[in-house]
Amino acid sequence: MDFARIERVETFIISIPRGVPYLGPLKEGESINERGYLIRKGNKAIYPSTDMSVLIKITASDGTVGWGETYGIVAPDAVTSIIDDVLGPVIKGRDPRDVMVIQEDLYDLMRVRGYFGGYFVDAIAGVDIAIWDVLGKLLKQPVVKLLGGQRKSKLPAYISGLPGSSMAERVAMAQAFVAQGYTAIKYHAVVSIDGIVEEMKVLREALGPQIKLMVDLHWKFTAQEAVQLAYRLQAYNPYFIEAPCQPEDIEGQAHVSRSVGMPVALGEELRTVFEYRPRMERRAMSIVQPEMGHTGISQFMQIGRMANAFHMQVIPHASIGLGIFQAASLHAAAALPNCPMHEYQHSVFDRNLQYVNTTMRCEAGYFSLPEGAGLGIEPAESVWQYVRPKGAANS
Ligand code: MG
């Protein structure tokens, strides 16, 4: 019997309103513009005021449907255009069993024009995730079983972000998470109200020596400033510091990593092994943080395996999404030998569970992998009210 082929590729922009923007309430001088975006003064980065996502639906010739998701949190139409106009038509008729070959073929399409990163690779990532989902469903296997083997059915989760508006609120939040069974917590320098060192000091004193504390420095510092800061943080025994200096400054990252007394983590902004390789060679970090929404499963696995060859750990990044690329990230992470924990964006993940059908949960310190064939997750009926017309403002 012939194996099913890829027949149709569709994209959807999802925009779900939220009361408090990601990273907490608006600060002085921050506002939402007419396209629905805000700029965080702390890291000069633009964010949507809603929870944004781009979904990819692939229908196989026998009617089997697979779902993918990628980044489209800003200018999502750029991603959907690439898929609708370029990638979708190219993969029509392809065999989903050739998923990694397809990923490589799509990557090759635009190299001659200088596109081997950014939105182009995000678009490929979403398509890649959807093909893996179709393949798993056609083979009646969870995706993790197709990635070389399953090591875990639960993954330790670390709390990402304490979006309270005062230090007391943040401490109370952290203590509540610890009471639920979480043992690792990261705060964000970009919204660190009382200062980065002060926040770690207060958290360490409130939570005790056993809890793993991390800080995301959001590329705020020069290499020398980051080293100086790390020396001040050292007294509070951080588990890692993240993204100390700007991603373009590979030598600076390597300098920080060599100079400080704790692991450096980075990589959420990188998409392929080709972007990771020079940083691995220079030992710019000891923990890599691939983001499934940027990498897709095929690249994520290659990055994770290459990290293992460099004796680096993988602690995947998890950002704003409906949950589909989060599920893909759990499948991939559970197949790797060097993944001790996974980021948990509690302010997004739990709320968005109402928009997906899945057994995936994060409870008492652990993510549970979704059950079922493929990724084990699909959009629920309730999400379709939030489809944003292509080209419309994000509000
Ligand atoms: Mg980060």
Side-chain angles (χ1 to χ4, degrees):
M1 198 183 88
D2 284 347
F3 204 77
R5 300 278 160 159
I6 295 169
E7 190 164 278
R8 196 162 62 245
V9 182
E10 297 163 86
T11 60
F12 306 91
I13 296 169
I14 308 295
S15 174
I16 303 175
R18 55 184 291 154
V20 177
Y22 177 69
L23 292 176
L26 292 178
K27 302 228 174 335
E28 175 123 10
E30 295 177 349
S31 61
I32 297 170
N33 74 12
E34 78 270 16
R35 296 294 294 182
Y37 299 121
L38 60 123
I39 297 171
R40 288 293 185 189
K41 298 228 159 203
N43 67 352
K44 304 176 191 168
I46 191 163
Y47 294 87
S49 57
T50 59
D51 282 351
M52 297 288 295
S53 175
V54 169
L55 298 182
I56 295 96
K57 178 183 183 184
I58 290 186
T59 309
S61 50
D62 70 344
T64 301
V65 167
W67 290 96
E69 182 180 28
T70 183
Y71 264 73
I73 66 171
V74 171
D77 300 272
V79 180
T80 57
S81 286
I82 291 167
I83 297 171
D84 295 343
D85 199 40
V86 181
L87 308 181
V90 165
I91 65 170
K92 203 173 161 191
R94 296 288 298 260
D95 181 338
R97 289 174 297 183
D98 298 332
V99 56
M100 292 185 82
V101 177
I102 294 170
Q103 192 274 336
E104 289 164 358
D105 289 348
L106 295 180
Y107 183 83
D108 286 343
L109 290 178
M110 297 274 275
R111 180 188 285 111
V112 73
R113 301 187 187 91
Y115 295 103
F116 34 74
Y119 283 80
F120 183 61
V121 176
D122 286 356
I124 295 172
V127 169
D128 179 73
I129 293 168
I131 300 173
W132 277 103
D133 188 35
V134 167
L135 179 60
K137 285 172 177 162
L138 289 168
L139 297 174
K140 300 183 171 38
Q141 292 292 324
V143 167
V144 63
K145 296 291 187 191
L146 307 178
L147 297 175
Q150 179 169 7
R151 291 174 180 276
K152 296 170 181 164
S153 57
K154 293 197 326 178
L155 276 166
Y158 80 80
I159 298 295
S160 186
L162 297 170
S165 50
S166 69
M167 201 57 232
E169 256 183 60
R170 287 155 180 256
V171 167
M173 253 181 208
Q175 285 169 328
F177 282 123
V178 169
Q180 289 169 38
Y182 294 91
T183 57
I185 296 174
K186 183 176 86 185
Y187 64 98
H188 296 288
V190 59
V191 287
S192 218
I193 302 163
D194 296 289
I196 294 164
V197 178
E198 184 61 21
E199 183 153 355
M200 186 164 289
K201 176 177 190 286
V202 170
L203 288 170
R204 176 59 73 210
E205 283 166 1
L207 303 174
Q210 301 303 326
I211 300 300
K212 292 183 171 76
L213 286 176
M214 301 87 93
V215 57
D216 187 345
L217 300 177
H218 287 264
W219 311 288
K220 274 168 69 90
F221 301 99
T222 66
Q224 291 298 348
E225 289 168 350
V227 170
Q228 189 178 34
L229 177 65
Y231 273 86
R232 295 173 61 214
L233 289 168
Q234 182 78 53
Y236 311 107
N237 194 28
Y239 179 69
F240 65 67
I241 58 170
E242 175 173 330
C245 43
Q246 294 186 337
E248 303 92 319
D249 186 10
I250 300 180
E251 296 306 332
Q253 293 170 336
H255 174 73
V256 174
S257 200
R258 270 195 303 272
S259 306
V260 301
M262 71 276 288
V264 171
L266 58 84
E268 70 182 77
E269 72 279 21
L270 308 174
R271 292 173 172 80
T272 62
V273 282
F274 307 113
E275 293 181 342
Y276 270 99
R277 193 185 72 184
R279 291 164 177 86
M280 291 176 172
E281 287 171 344
R282 288 169 176 80
R283 298 263 158 201
M285 65 291 199
S286 58
I287 296 168
V288 302
Q289 299 174 299
E291 163 52 64
M292 179 58 76
H294 287 320
T295 63
I297 293 172
S298 300
Q299 273 299 309
F300 186 106
M301 290 305 294
Q302 292 182 54
I303 293 162
R305 295 282 180 197
M306 192 160 77
N308 196 44
F310 278 87
H311 300 271
M312 293 175 177
Q313 291 194 301
V314 180
I315 302 185
H317 181 257
S319 192
I320 303 166
L322 209 60
I324 292 171
F325 64 56
Q326 170 80 53
S329 192
L330 295 179
H331 279 274
L336 289 172
N338 50 337
C339 177
M341 62 172 88
H342 197 295
E343 183 168 16
Y344 168 38
Q345 285 282 3
H346 51 90
S347 77
V348 181
F349 179 90
D350 288 273
R351 197 197 64 160
N352 286 356
L353 279 179
Q354 65 186 300
Y355 303 121
V356 283
N357 297 324
T358 183
T359 62
M360 175 177 74
R361 293 290 180 272
C362 192
E363 286 165 344
Y366 290 88
F367 279 110
S368 51
L369 255 68
E371 290 164 11
L375 293 173
I377 185 168
E378 52 187 29
E381 210 42 52
S382 56
V383 83
W384 300 116
Q385 63 187 304
Y386 298 117
V387 172
R388 203 211 72 180
K390 290 176 182 173
N394 164 34
S395 55

